Structures are given as structure tokens and as C-alpha cells.
Amino acid sequence: MGTARLSSKGQLIIPKHVREAHCWDAGQELEVIDMPEGVLLKAKKIFPATSIADLEQLPAYSGPVKSLEEMDAAIRKAIGGQ
């Protein structure tokens, strides 16, 4: 646990060990949730939640069938792994 102080501008510095434990870097957006016992900070989700109904609206894929190995290779390439 650590201690933080609120600035006159309403800014709060989260202790380094907490930021590191949650992998929060500069620019990380946090949700601020008011709770009866205090305030909860949660990392804002990058993508909105998706429902099955949302997926049903997508057009069907009509290209050639890809193997799992081809899909894995494409993912590795996209993230710079190969």
C-alpha cells in the first residue's frame, strides 16, 4: 500500500509500485468509480464490449479457408514476432 496526495488541481500521483503492478504507463485512461467505501480506479477498456448480436451483423467471410497454422503465423507477423 502507498499514500497519495491530491493536488490543488485535483491531480493524484499513483505510487510507482502500484502503476508497475498494473502495467499502467503515462496516458493510461482510468475509470473512476464512486463506491460506498471509497473510490475504485480501473483501467479503461480499449475496446467496447461486443455481443453476439453485434457479431451477427458482420458479413460472412468469403475468402479461401485458412489453417490454424496460417492464422497463428499472421498473428505473430502482426505483433512483430516473425
Side-chain angles (χ1 to χ4, degrees):
M1 189 182 307
T3 304
R5 182 180 307 238
L6 194 62
S7 77
S8 61
K9 292 183 178 184
Q11 298 169 322
L12 182 70
I13 296 175
I14 299 170
K16 184 177 182 178
H17 71 276
V18 175
R19 295 190 317 264
E20 288 176 344
H22 293 278
C23 300
W24 292 345
D25 293 320
Q28 172 73 52
E29 290 190 35
L30 302 172
E31 293 181 43
V32 180
I33 302 165
D34 191 14
M35 308 279 290
E37 57 277 351
V39 175
L40 173 66
L41 296 176
K42 288 177 54 177
K44 186 175 177 184
K45 298 202 182 298
I46 298 172
F47 302 106
T50 302
S51 69
I52 296 296
D54 294 331
L55 298 175
E56 290 172 345
Q57 303 299 317
L58 296 174
Y61 177 71
S62 60
V65 176
K66 300 289 184 181
S67 70
L68 287 176
E69 291 79 16
E70 290 172 309
M71 289 187 271
D72 286 343
I75 292 169
R76 279 193 301 276
K77 181 178 179 184
I79 61 174
Q82 208 175 26

